[in-house]
């Protein structure tokens, strides 16, 4: 049940960010739910592989390269979902930062698992 609530809260955050952030578009709320699901799958499968492959660069940059990996995950979600659009790398980077902040706030309101 907690997974469903987290997906719905992420979808709300995606939808709100798309409304206020120029360069990010979501066709409808159902698309935001699909984006949240795809991001969860990409973070579960693709992100650990990317982190492992870029471990030397991540260590060299003291973890800041993880921001680049998050932006790449957003761009991958953009490629997979037709109703979701991100205009470029810098918008994807800003979107991933703001999405992480909103998720932290919303998940803290949700409470512990």
């Amino acid at each position: 049940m907690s997974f469903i609530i987290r997906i719905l809260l992420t979808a709300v955050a995606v939808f709100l960010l798309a409304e206020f952030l120029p360069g990010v578009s979501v066709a409808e709320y159902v698309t935001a739910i699909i984006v949240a699901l795809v991001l969860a799958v990409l973070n579960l499968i693709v992100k650990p592989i990317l982190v492992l492959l870029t471990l030397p660069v991540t260590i060299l940059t003291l973890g800041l390269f993880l921001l680049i990996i998050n932006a790449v995950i957003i761009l991958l979600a953009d490629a997979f979902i037709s109703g979701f659009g991100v205009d470029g790398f810098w918008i994807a980077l800003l979107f991933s930062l703001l999405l992480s902040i909103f998720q932290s706030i919303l998940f803290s309101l949700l409470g512990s698992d």
Side-chain angles (χ1 to χ4, degrees), residues 6-74:
R6 285 179 178 262
I7 291 295
L8 291 175
L9 288 175
T10 302
V12 167
V14 167
F15 194 76
L16 288 175
L17 283 174
E19 290 294 319
F20 294 110
L21 194 63
V24 178
S25 62
V26 175
E28 55 188 14
Y29 190 71
V30 174
T31 307
I33 294 173
I34 294 170
V35 169
L37 285 169
V38 168
L39 285 176
V41 169
L42 288 174
N43 282 329
L44 183 69
I45 297 172
V46 176
K47 189 174 181 177
I49 296 169
L50 288 176
V51 168
L52 186 63
L53 291 175
T54 61
L55 192 60
V57 177
T58 303
I59 292 171
L60 188 65
T61 61
L62 303 175
L64 289 177
F65 195 75
L66 292 174
L67 297 173
I68 306 298
I69 292 174
N70 286 340
V72 169
I73 295 292
I74 297 294

Side-chain angles (χ1 to χ4, degrees), residues 15 17 19 22 29 34 48 59 61 63-64 67 73 78 81-82 86-88 93 95 98-99 101 103 108:
F15 194 76
L17 283 174
E19 290 294 319
Y29 190 71
I34 294 170
I59 292 171
T61 61
L64 289 177
L67 297 173
I73 295 292
D78 176 30
I81 303 166
S82 62
V86 180
D87 286 343
L93 184 65
F95 180 78
L98 292 175
L99 183 63
I101 292 169
Q103 282 179 328
S108 69

